[in-house]
Amino acid sequence: MKVGFVSLGCAKNQVNCEQMIWKTYEAGHEVALGAEDCDVAVVNTCGFLEEARQEALAEIDALAQAKAEGKLQKILVTGCMAQWWKDEIAQRCPAADGFLGVSGYEDIAQVLEQMMAGQRPAHFGDIDAPVPETDRVVCTSDHWAWLRIAEGCDNRCAYCVIPYIRGKFRSRPEEAILAEARDLAQAGMKELIVVAQDITRYGLDLYGERTLAKLLPKLCAIEGIHWIRLHYLYPDEITDELIDVIANEPKIVKYLDIPIQHISDRMLKAMHRRGTGGEIRALFAKLRERIPGLVLRTSLIAGFPGETEEDFEELCTFLRAFPIERAGVFPYSPEPGSPAAAFPDQVDEDVKRRRVELITELQLAVVDDWCEGMTGQVVEVLCEGYDDETELFYGRSYADSPGIDGLVHFEGEEGGVAPGNFYQVKVTGNYDGELIGILYEEDDQP
């Protein structure tokens, strides 16, 4: 039987999909990415936002059409949307033949067998159960991979349903993380992206203290790993000890993803975020001082219930005073089941869009200024391929996380540059927020 996988959503979802691929392959089935020419399609869904759920439903509808045309036998819907809608998912997806929530991914082979036997299984399990240690088939790249160190979340932000979908925060044991990291290094992975909903909380549930600062040097000691990137850090949990580790470990790229969502004390309190705007300002100033060349990424919500023009202007003023090189800007989305969906003073959709546009324009100017400042500098680039149209190689610098940031485009001789290798590139210019450069040798004249 040939089983095709379609993975939607975040990095944690991607890891779950890679685990399911391994268990399916281990059970003796042929596996593929995508559903074309497959007997069974597995759609690993995202359920975080309405837009993501609509994307998943559209994908399932397209597969249902293929099934009706005899091009596909069965459809299995897995992941966050299935978990969030577990009591109604069968009615919402009538063409699907089975459902698997965010717990019990290791049981996919059994679920596939039940489907092929004519049953319509629905396995949702315990979202607070310990994280299963399951092998995986990395599908992102031949030279970088996600390294998930925890599951779930305890922060309970007012706009978010992740704790209700993925359960409470559960750290993976340190020895399991290090063993997986060594396996990834042996498989040729040169960049590991450490990920969890809140990596700064790592270890608290297992060891009674936050131990990310102890874990990172052990990851850095693994031979073959060249870059370690960190997603996502909760601002009020970033300690001086952790800052020292990030600043002093050469393998940890000087790029931190710290979602702050807002800067107004009123909005932070309404969002159920810990800390104040003043504490965020002090943290960012400290990080800039202690980590030279630091690139910051954050996420921002515009139009949260009750956001006034004064709150919004405070956010814009902050972004002008503390330029953030990378930012995802989102209009507030009232997710059913989240506390904020029932808040009064919901902001008009047109106002949300206008505010998002204003912040985006501000951020584009920040990116342009940063790119201009990089001209003439030499950066290390992980090559990812060659573009026949531009006749340039492309890759990522320390300032670029895959899929969400830009690329560095650079000249190089054919046969002398290969994807998966690191190169020194001298930045000669930029275009549309991305850097352009040429290969640089140390004996070149500046």
Side-chain angles (χ1 to χ4, degrees):
M1 182 170 66
K2 186 174 181 180
V3 183
F5 288 82
V6 177
S7 187
L8 307 172
C10 69
K12 297 174 289 297
N13 231 31
Q14 177 66 37
V15 171
N16 291 146
C17 191
E18 292 172 351
Q19 291 173 320
M20 288 191 291
I21 290 173
W22 170 261
K23 297 301 291 187
T24 302
Y25 176 77
E26 189 180 47
H29 302 299
E30 185 180 357
V31 296
L33 297 180
E36 189 174 356
D37 298 325
C38 291
D39 303 301
V40 178
V42 179
V43 186
N44 196 35
T45 63
C46 175
F48 181 45
L49 296 172
E50 176 62 23
E51 182 180 355
R53 292 190 291 272
Q54 290 303 319
E55 179 188 12
L57 291 173
E59 184 71 38
I60 294 165
D61 286 345
L63 293 171
Q65 181 63 34
K67 180 182 171 184
E69 295 171 357
K71 300 175 182 178
L72 187 67
Q73 295 182 41
K74 303 286 184 179
I75 301 170
L76 174 61
V77 177
T78 70
C80 289
M81 187 182 78
Q83 185 72 47
W84 188 229
W85 284 344
K86 65 179 182 178
D87 296 328
E88 51 188 304
I89 188 67
Q91 289 73 38
R92 287 181 178 267
C93 302
D97 302 282
F99 308 94
L100 184 60
V102 300
S103 294
Y105 280 117
E106 66 274 22
D107 297 329
I108 186 171
Q110 173 189 349
V111 171
L112 290 171
E113 289 178 8
Q114 291 172 340
M115 282 179 17
M116 298 309 291
Q119 301 176 41
R120 201 186 192 198
H123 291 210
F124 298 105
D126 179 5
I127 62 172
D128 293 323
V131 182
E133 295 300 332
T134 303
D135 287 338
R136 52 193 272 227
V137 177
V138 176
C139 302
T140 49
S141 167
D142 292 332
H143 42 266
W144 70 266
W146 303 106
L147 181 65
R148 182 185 55 163
I149 65 172
E151 181 56 274
C153 186
D154 286 344
N155 289 325
R156 306 276 172 175
C157 300
Y159 48 80
C160 183
V161 295
I162 292 297
Y164 311 106
I165 297 176
R166 286 191 168 265
K168 65 182 181 181
F169 188 89
R170 290 103 69 209
S171 302
R172 294 177 61 197
E174 180 183 276
E175 56 271 22
I177 295 170
L178 294 174
E180 181 179 14
R182 285 190 287 267
D183 288 344
L184 290 169
Q186 291 176 0
M189 301 300 155
K190 297 178 181 178
E191 178 183 14
L192 298 182
I193 305 179
V194 177
V195 67
Q197 201 67 29
D198 175 6
I199 64 172
T200 43
R201 198 177 182 87
Y202 174 74
L204 187 60
D205 54 317
L206 285 183
Y207 309 118
E209 61 176 337
R210 293 166 177 80
T211 57
L212 180 64
K214 295 179 173 64
L215 172 66
L216 291 176
K218 297 174 184 178
L219 288 172
C220 291
I222 296 174
E223 186 177 353
I225 300 302
H226 190 75
W227 276 355
I228 292 175
R229 191 179 298 272
L230 307 179
H231 288 264
Y232 306 89
L233 300 99
Y234 207 92
D236 77 327
E237 303 285 358
I238 300 176
T239 63
D240 285 339
E241 179 189 16
L242 180 57
I243 294 172
D244 286 340
V245 170
I246 294 168
N248 295 325
E249 285 286 356
K251 288 187 179 181
I252 300 178
V253 296
K254 308 319 177 207
Y255 170 111
L256 299 178
D257 192 325
I258 308 174
I260 63 170
Q261 313 306 348
H262 217 284
I263 199 65
S264 159
D265 288 347
R266 283 187 65 255
M267 289 295 94
L268 291 171
K269 184 177 180 180
M271 291 176 176
H272 299 174
R273 302 282 293 184
R274 297 189 302 275
T276 66
E279 289 167 344
I280 292 172
R281 291 180 178 92
L283 171 65
F284 280 15
K286 180 192 292 187
L287 290 171
R288 296 288 193 197
E289 178 184 358
R290 300 263 293 272
I291 308 175
L294 176 67
V295 165
L296 286 172
R297 166 165 276 282
T298 197
S299 57
L300 303 166
I301 297 175
F304 189 79
E307 184 188 52
T308 64
E309 288 295 334
E310 290 75 17
D311 295 320
F312 178 70
E313 181 54 37
E314 183 179 355
L315 177 59
C316 292
T317 299
F318 165 75
L319 293 173
R320 296 185 192 102
F322 291 80
I324 297 172
E325 295 84 0
R326 308 284 189 250
V329 187
F330 305 96
Y332 167 70
S333 173
E335 294 305 306
S338 67
F343 284 3
D345 300 323
Q346 297 285 328
V347 176
D348 182 80
E349 292 297 325
D350 289 338
V351 174
K352 291 181 195 177
R353 283 193 292 269
R354 178 180 64 83
R355 291 177 179 175
V356 168
E357 289 170 359
L358 289 171
I359 297 176
T360 300
E361 289 177 8
L362 193 156
Q363 285 303 123
L364 288 173
V366 171
V367 172
D368 287 343
D369 288 344
W370 182 82
C371 287
E372 287 294 329
M374 292 297 292
T375 301
Q377 296 193 36
V378 177
V379 295
E380 187 174 42
V381 174
L382 174 56
C383 182
E384 295 196 326
Y386 180 79
D387 188 328
D388 290 324
E389 185 174 337
T390 63
E391 298 184 336
L392 294 172
F393 291 93
Y394 60 88
R396 294 182 292 107
S397 74
Y398 81 99
D400 307 304
S401 198
I404 55 175
D405 297 319
L407 295 169
V408 180
H409 306 264
F410 60 98
E411 297 178 12
E413 292 186 10
E414 188 175 352
V417 177
N421 290 335
F422 288 87
Y423 298 94
Q424 298 297 315
V425 174
K426 184 173 182 179
V427 179
T428 58
N430 65 87
Y431 177 75
D432 198 22
E434 298 190 325
L435 301 180
I436 300 171
I438 57 174
L439 280 182
Y440 176 83
E441 301 294 341
E442 290 186 5
D443 57 355
D444 288 349
Q445 293 296 317

